[in-house]
Amino acid sequence: MDIILQLTFAGIGVGSIYALVALGLVLIYRATNVVNFAQGDFPMMGAFILVVCLLSAGLPYWLSILLSLAGMVVFGAAFNLGVYYPLRNRSYLPVLISTLGASILVQNIILAFYGPQPANLPALLPFRGFQIGSVFLDPQYIVIIGVSALLVVLQYLFFEKTLLGKKLQATSQDKEMAGLLGIPVKRMIMLTFVYSALLGGIAGILVAPIIYFSITMGNAIALKAFAATIIGGFGDIRGAIIGGIGLGLIETFGAAYISVPYKDGFAFVVLFAFLMLLPQGIFGEKIAEKA
Amino acid sequence: MPLLELRNVRVSYGRVEALSGISLMVEEGEIVALLGANGAGKSTTLRTISGMMAPTSGEVVFAGQRISGLGPEKIVRLGLSHVAEGRRIFPGLTVRDNIMLGASNRRATRRELNADVEEMFALFPDIRPFADTLCWKLSGGQLQMAAVARGLTARPKLLLLDEPSLGLAPLIIQKVFEVIREIQRRGTTVLLVEQNANMALSVADRGYVLETGLLKLSGKASDLAASDEIRAAYLGGRAA
């Protein structure tokens, strides 16, 4: 029983990271109809800025996090202007290739100037965690779960309760009509990219102390996030959250009970199963919403 | 000075010319009907006025200002609201939110917005019970009411209505046209595109008839309704 609780705790922690990145993926998809292949570079970038500030420049942890968040706002805006905006009136394919190119470019720029070495970040909280019964709670996982839950609640309130959130929803449902009503569509899409980058950056900041920073750390996260969105139902916000956490749990339990080396494989076995048996995912795509 | 004037406007979709030089005007306070068969260019005319399409030549002048080429976001801020073909209600938002977003063309406080929405529910009592329902659950008539309400929330000087009767039951069509008269009484000018020419001419002051991208006829609504040519071509009546 204790081992199950322990694994559930870890699984939700890892799954929260996938969920945050998947949320960003879904938001960009809904606003632009394009799957962003550079989504994994958002967490990598967030973690990278943290590494540079904290380890290379020796700044305090809180300041490094603030700088990383600020950096992600700039990165998200630059990503929109450089990768999406020039191609916005083309079909999805040129934009998709453009995001793929951006991913390769960003990783190689960091490789050229920083080098390939991975970095080990210290945990956010300095204490060692504590025991409840026989379950050990790692403070970094508590932070991950807490911050992710808070973000999900804030995002829900923002989209459902504020006028700006509703304008963003309207833009993602019918861009042309939104413009016809006077909603500044370009600004809404800019906001979506910035927020999505910020979500990814936060995921990177949270996960880096657990998995080491490396230039390619985002690739695996992005693949899992993508799988999470398909399992949850592509384009669905609840689906991204449920799919992400579900995937984290499957992976953690699979590693514990079946095989550690095949840990990354379980996510994709589940993905295949969903694609074969339930391709619309848990929540399905609400056709009516797209009509 | 007319509120809206089109001067020799030409519009193309790729190589296909949809409007081959249209000139028309709408005076303040009028209801003007734009009639014609499918594919005559009625919707294209409205799309060009509201900035969704740019004319290849000619110009659109609204309230003394040249608006062709400005783009829809700027044009709607000048007080020109377009209730587009197919209603285009945001399906994943509630009726209240849809109507509220109609005011995106101007600055308004939350209190003003709530008052505007209430005013619309007074004008369209039939959709009040669905205020907090997501719009994909609504019927065609309810969607049309919501779309017109959303267009009016922009507080336009000129309201463009594209086929408000399309796909609606006769009783609902009656209601929609009563509302169009009420909109005029409240001081909003209306340019109405319709295939239901009888209905349109019954509320309109003047009318224009489009045929494959050119204006064929224009005149007072009562004259158009009585003309044999119109009856034969568009009203389903027999030519004398």
Side-chain angles (χ1 to χ4, degrees), chain B residues 41-101:
Chain B
K42 307 186 298 290
S43 292
T44 304
T45 307
L46 294 195
R47 291 170 68 85
T48 307
I49 296 170
S50 66
M52 294 164 87
M53 300 195 64
T56 46
S57 71
E59 59 179 1
V60 182
V61 178
F62 176 66
Q65 181 181 353
R66 187 192 150 112
I67 58 168
S68 25
L70 275 189
E73 288 170 33
K74 288 197 178 122
I75 290 174
V76 69
R77 292 200 185 103
L78 300 174
L80 194 162
S81 171
H82 182 181
V83 179
E85 193 178 14
R87 292 143 200 158
R88 303 285 284 274
I89 286 287
F90 302 113
L93 291 176
T94 64
V95 173
R96 187 190 303 280
D97 290 345
N98 263 285
I99 294 176
M100 207 177 266
L101 287 178

Side-chain angles (χ1 to χ4, degrees), chain A residues 161-163 166-167 169-170 173-174 176-186 286 288-291, chain B residues 47 50 52 72-73 76-77 82 84 87-88 90-93 97 100-102 104-105 110 113 136 150:
Chain A
K161 303 294 175 201
T162 72
L163 199 59
K166 284 166 187 172
K167 286 181 181 177
Q169 285 193 60
Q173 289 171 30
D174 188 341
E176 192 179 48
M177 193 60 225
L180 208 49
L181 294 181
I183 295 172
V185 172
K186 286 177 200 162
K286 267 186 277 166
E289 248 191 47
K290 285 274 161 192
Chain B
R47 291 170 68 85
S50 66
M52 294 164 87
E73 288 170 33
V76 69
R77 292 200 185 103
H82 182 181
R87 292 143 200 158
R88 303 285 284 274
F90 302 113
L93 291 176
D97 290 345
M100 207 177 266
L101 287 178
S104 301
N105 64 334
R110 195 63 179 232
L113 289 177
W136 58 269
R150 185 175 66 181

Side-chain angles (χ1 to χ4, degrees), chain A residues 37-38 41 83 95-108:
Chain A
F37 272 66
D41 295 305
V83 179
V95 186
L96 191 147
I97 292 168
S98 164
T99 67
L100 200 57
S103 172
I104 297 168
L105 182 70
V106 166
Q107 292 186 16
N108 280 285

